[in-house]
Amino acid sequence: MGSSFGNLFRIHTYGESHGKALGVVIDGCPAGLSIDESFIQSELDRRKPGQSKITTQRKEADEFEIVSGVFEGKSTGTPISIIIRNGDQRSKDYSHIANKFRPSHADYTFHAKYGIRDYRGGGRSSARETVARVAAGAVAKLLLQHYGISCQAYVSQVGKLKLEKPYQELDLSEAENNIVRCPDPQTAEAMIELIDQTRKERDTIGGIVTGVIKGTPAGLGEPVFDKLHAELGKAMLSINAVKGFEYGSGFDGIQMKGSEHNDAFYQAEDQVKTRTNLSGGIQGGISNGEDIYFNVAFKPVATIMQDQESINEAGETVTVSGKGRHDPCVVPRAVPIVEAMSALVIADYLLISRSNRL
């Protein structure tokens, strides 16, 4: 139940951080879609660990295998199963916390819910689970490309260091030209320095990933409870370490008056457009054809290379020492995850829209 996402374009993920493999089953992908395996691998490469000095040094190739649902390079309309095998587990790095609850981790809550937990890297609660989402999201992106829809994301803030330029003034393709995935070179350099300094201090830091979806047609969304922005929010809040989601004007919109915030409509040839887009491309829970843009806030990674006080399963006070290989800041590797979850939502609602009317 908790490992499935979507309605018509539906995924089910499985696997643990230190298990044999992780994977995803994609159900509902239309038949005849060209499955570009090199593109899927390139998306996984963007998320994989060990990319740079500001990410975890765990080395995983994240090579995948499609075991069903694709024949002669095209989807068959049956479930697509993708598997990614683990290769660089160091489970012994976690033996010291086998019965301890790490601060701000899911150790205690998993123990409280199930009475058993895989302490190796957090098991199912590990961000390694997101490799399956990115694989599925790559397939969703291929479907959206067919309709001229793109899902892009970039790092817009690390700690208090914020990129002030709006996305319209940026070349979002520039985000892949630096290790922090910020499309502004000067800001990117400062972000990298901040993350690296935090790493040297044996600490972690949070940040914001901004997502931009372009080319979405008007009419996607399912009122009342399955509004498009609500589903996007659910998708983003399901990602590890996410603490907040806002779209359009977001929380800043409360400082404005209605006369300032309203997006005026106008006719542009055969299209209805808005002169401003503070609504973030969604009104009444339905896309209006403008760009959809949003921010996703990520907390500092919970594992720090410092001693912390906690308790064990017996309720005794203990010291938890940070060991293993961890990201000092999650946002650079979170960019493809945000894109993947965006693509999954839009692909799902695109298929639903095709069944809404004659």
Side-chain angles (χ1 to χ4, degrees):
M1 201 174 140
S3 294
S4 298
F5 183 79
N7 298 282
L8 297 187
F9 194 99
R10 187 170 178 81
I11 69 168
H12 183 87
T13 69
Y14 61 89
E16 295 85 31
S17 178
H18 285 239
K20 291 183 178 180
L22 300 100
V24 61
V25 177
I26 307 166
D27 205 2
C29 181
L33 178 68
S34 294
I35 303 299
D36 184 346
E37 294 196 21
S38 63
F39 174 73
I40 297 174
Q41 188 61 62
S42 69
E43 292 293 279
L44 291 173
D45 288 347
R46 295 172 65 213
R47 193 222 69 96
K48 72 180 182 182
Q51 293 180 36
S52 70
K53 66 181 180 180
I54 60 170
T55 65
T56 171
Q57 293 307 296
R58 178 172 176 172
K59 301 295 183 183
E60 293 285 357
D62 281 352
E63 294 176 349
F64 71 97
E65 180 183 0
I66 298 177
V67 297
S68 70
V70 177
F71 180 68
E72 295 183 341
K74 293 185 180 295
S75 60
T76 62
T78 58
I80 298 172
S81 180
I82 300 175
I83 187 170
I84 303 104
R85 293 176 176 82
N86 286 326
D88 186 25
Q89 310 101 308
R90 294 184 187 173
S91 299
K92 66 179 186 301
D93 286 348
Y94 297 91
S95 58
H96 68 294
I97 51 97
N99 67 345
K100 298 177 182 178
F101 300 135
R102 293 170 295 172
S104 286
H105 271 277
D107 297 340
Y108 169 69
T109 51
F110 264 61
H111 180 78
K113 179 176 177 63
Y114 298 108
I116 186 174
R117 63 186 173 91
D118 183 349
Y119 61 83
R120 303 167 304 168
R124 185 68 176 153
S125 69
S126 169
R128 176 123 185 87
E129 173 269 334
T130 59
V131 67
R133 305 185 192 208
V134 173
V139 175
K141 278 188 173 185
L142 291 171
L143 176 61
L144 295 181
Q145 286 175 14
H146 183 73
Y147 293 93
I149 302 170
S150 66
C151 299
Q152 296 173 280
Y154 62 93
V155 173
S156 58
Q157 186 168 343
V158 173
K160 296 180 180 179
L161 186 57
K162 184 177 182 180
L163 173 60
E164 298 293 346
K165 296 179 183 176
Y167 78 89
Q168 297 94 332
E169 296 179 12
L170 300 166
D171 178 358
L172 301 190
S173 64
E174 287 290 324
E176 292 302 311
N177 292 335
N178 57 73
I179 59 177
V180 77
R181 292 198 167 94
C182 173
D184 183 73
Q186 286 187 320
T187 307
E189 188 175 338
M191 287 177 171
I192 293 168
E193 184 177 342
L194 176 58
I195 295 173
D196 196 36
Q197 181 58 40
T198 302
R199 177 186 63 82
K200 291 175 181 176
E201 293 169 357
R202 302 167 65 82
D203 216 331
T204 61
I205 196 166
I208 291 176
V209 173
T210 296
V212 182
I213 307 171
K214 297 183 178 183
T216 304
L220 303 189
E222 296 296 308
V224 174
F225 296 110
D226 295 324
K227 293 180 171 69
L228 182 56
H229 60 271
E231 195 69 6
L232 282 169
K234 175 184 175 181
M236 299 308 148
L237 289 164
S238 75
I239 300 172
N240 307 65
V242 169
K243 300 296 285 184
F245 170 81
E246 63 175 358
Y247 74 101
S249 61
F251 288 103
D252 288 341
I254 65 166
Q255 303 175 49
M256 306 173 72
K257 294 181 179 179
S259 57
E260 300 171 305
H261 193 272
N262 287 347
D263 297 320
F265 290 106
Y266 70 98
Q267 188 75 29
E269 297 180 353
D270 61 342
Q271 284 188 312
V272 174
K273 305 286 289 180
T274 59
R275 298 195 184 280
T276 54
N277 188 21
L278 294 169
S279 299
I282 303 171
Q283 292 164 331
I286 302 171
S287 62
N288 65 7
E290 299 290 341
D291 292 348
I292 297 170
Y293 63 97
F294 53 88
N295 290 324
V296 187
F298 289 81
K299 70 174 183 177
V301 176
T303 299
I304 60 175
M305 298 297 108
Q306 300 178 23
D307 289 346
Q308 300 176 85
E309 184 180 292
S310 188
I311 62 171
N312 60 19
E313 293 177 6
E316 301 165 333
T317 300
V318 295
T319 298
V320 175
S321 302
K323 294 182 180 180
R325 301 157 296 175
H326 305 277
D327 292 275
C329 181
V330 75
V331 290
R333 293 176 60 216
V335 166
I337 304 168
V338 168
E339 291 181 2
M341 294 307 297
S342 303
L344 289 168
V345 170
I346 300 301
D348 189 29
Y349 276 60
L350 189 65
L351 295 182
I352 291 173
S353 72
R354 295 166 64 182
S355 65
N356 282 160
R357 57 192 291 182
L358 293 176

